[in-house]
Amino acid sequence: MLSSPRLRTPLAIFSAALIVLLGPPLLSSGSGSASGTHIPGLRLMVPNTPGGGYDITARTAAKAAEDADLSRNIEVFNLPGAGGTVGLSRLVAERGNGKLAMSMGLGVVGAVHTNHAPSTLADTTPIARLTQEPDIVVVAKGSKYQDFGQLVADWREKPGSLPVGGGSSPGGPDHLAPMLMAKAAGIAPKKVNYIPYDGGGELLASVLGGKVAFGVSGVGEYLDQIEAGELRVLAVTSEKRLPGLDAPTLRESGLDVSFTNWRGIVAPPGLTDTERDKLIDLITKMHASKQWKEAVRRNRWTDAFMTGEDFGRFLTAQDRRVDTVLKELGL
């Protein structure tokens, strides 16, 4: 039997009222919806292997954003290859995709030059620079080198016999740092036996296994192994010593060199202003969160935040700087 219209009407009115009462809280509560930062389906690409600096930065940023209730279910995935230029090419090919971004840094700038990559960072949409970080010179706990002076003495005598490993392709920070160190030590950069790895994660196994005489990588990548006594830090590339790390600067060790790496986020080309601004807003609020501030402190990173056009101008300047340094080093 069909119900009468007179019985249906009060029920319909009650249902509509219930939707009005329940609707607004559901639309405005949690997961960044109130502040407009939630981007459904957002994916964050890491252009090298798990365990490296880009990977740690991306996963730390995603977790901070989620823990601060700015977004949810951010997918972090790895697409390694050619010093980050495989990931860069993929990003540029995703023109207009406002739900994709990529963790990157100085290593990608250098890899574009040395790999003659078809896509460059000028083809991307700059979102934000997040951090700066010095490199460290590390050896395994069983290494004969107890201090940086011992290492440099052997390196000067037989540079080709001491392989140095880095977590970036030629032109990247872990390559440029030892090349600048070699030049300051009176060693021709072309004589340095540099072995590139696709990220700090891959490099770690070779340092621990003694496949390289020493490694150069970001401090945040190896804190656990340093604290556990598996790695010994011989020097840091920063201007000043790092708090909590018992290691001299390169200048204290006799080499007139300092070097700093940085990391940030870029997006595909062709985004609308709204899509670009929403990504920048999400990262800006993530940067301001207590979760991110604690992660920066824990990883011994230095805050180096800048966004949008300012970051774009910085990328252009970094591209010119890397080109100049590679030419000066004869590489």
Side-chain angles (χ1 to χ4, degrees):
M1 179 187 300
L2 295 174
S3 56
S4 70
R6 291 173 60 183
L7 289 176
R8 275 204 316 271
T9 302
L11 181 60
I13 293 171
F14 173 77
S15 299
L18 189 62
I19 290 171
V20 170
L21 288 172
L22 293 180
L26 288 173
L27 290 171
S28 62
S29 63
S31 303
S33 54
S35 60
T37 55
H38 178 48
I39 303 174
L42 178 61
R43 307 179 77 212
L44 189 51
M45 184 198 308
V46 177
N48 62 8
T49 55
Y54 300 153
D55 188 68
I56 293 171
T57 301
R59 295 182 190 280
T60 301
K63 187 175 189 306
E66 292 178 353
D67 289 350
D69 203 26
L70 297 171
S71 193
R72 63 177 183 271
N73 301 326
I74 300 173
E75 180 190 350
V76 180
F77 69 101
N78 298 77
L79 184 63
T85 57
V86 170
L88 177 61
S89 294
R90 163 74 178 277
L91 187 81
V92 172
E94 293 275 349
R95 184 177 184 84
N97 185 352
K99 297 184 177 183
L100 179 66
M102 185 177 82
S103 174
M104 49 72 71
L106 181 56
V108 176
V109 178
V112 166
H113 283 271
T114 56
N115 293 331
H116 307 291
S119 298
T120 74
L121 289 167
D123 299 320
T124 69
T125 300
I127 300 300
R129 186 183 71 180
L130 293 174
T131 61
Q132 290 180 332
E133 178 187 42
D135 269 352
I136 51 176
V137 179
V138 294
V139 294
K141 64 179 181 180
S143 169
K144 69 175 184 177
Y145 298 116
Q146 299 296 315
D147 60 56
F148 190 67
Q150 294 173 340
L151 172 63
V152 172
D154 274 5
W155 203 21
R156 284 190 177 115
E157 185 176 340
K158 44 185 179 182
S161 299
L162 268 70
V164 50
S168 59
S169 295
D174 300 348
H175 171 251
L176 293 177
M179 295 301 161
L180 291 169
M181 287 160 43
K183 184 179 180 181
I187 301 167
K190 287 186 176 181
K191 291 185 178 181
V192 174
N193 182 9
Y194 177 76
I195 301 177
Y197 294 87
D198 201 354
E202 284 192 359
L203 170 63
L204 178 62
S206 290
V207 175
L208 292 175
K211 294 181 180 178
V212 293
F214 63 102
V216 177
S217 192
V219 61
E221 298 172 59
Y222 293 157
L223 283 175
D224 290 344
Q225 290 76 21
I226 294 167
E227 291 172 357
E230 296 297 318
L231 290 176
R232 181 161 55 250
V233 185
L234 300 185
V236 297
T237 68
S238 50
E239 290 279 355
K240 298 179 180 179
R241 289 194 178 210
L242 298 179
L245 205 61
D246 184 21
T249 66
L250 293 175
R251 287 202 169 98
E252 287 180 283
S253 305
L255 299 186
D256 189 17
V257 175
S258 65
F259 183 87
T260 303
N261 187 17
W262 56 268
R263 297 191 180 98
I265 294 175
V266 294
L271 301 191
T272 65
D273 289 348
T274 299
E275 290 171 327
R276 180 201 61 206
D277 292 347
K278 192 161 188 176
L279 278 168
I280 291 175
D281 189 41
L282 169 61
I283 298 303
T284 299
K285 287 185 169 64
M286 183 280 299
H287 167 260
S289 71
K290 64 180 182 180
Q291 290 85 352
W292 176 254
K293 293 181 186 299
E294 169 57 24
V296 169
R297 184 201 64 77
R298 185 176 62 249
N299 287 291
R300 293 184 173 88
W301 294 334
T302 298
D303 182 67
F305 194 62
M306 65 168 57
T307 61
E309 293 180 359
D310 287 340
F311 182 40
R313 286 189 286 270
F314 172 80
L315 289 176
T316 300
Q318 287 290 287
D319 182 71
R320 292 171 182 158
R321 174 174 175 255
V322 168
D323 183 58
T324 299
V325 171
L326 288 172
K327 288 176 179 175
E328 287 177 352
L329 294 174
L331 300 171

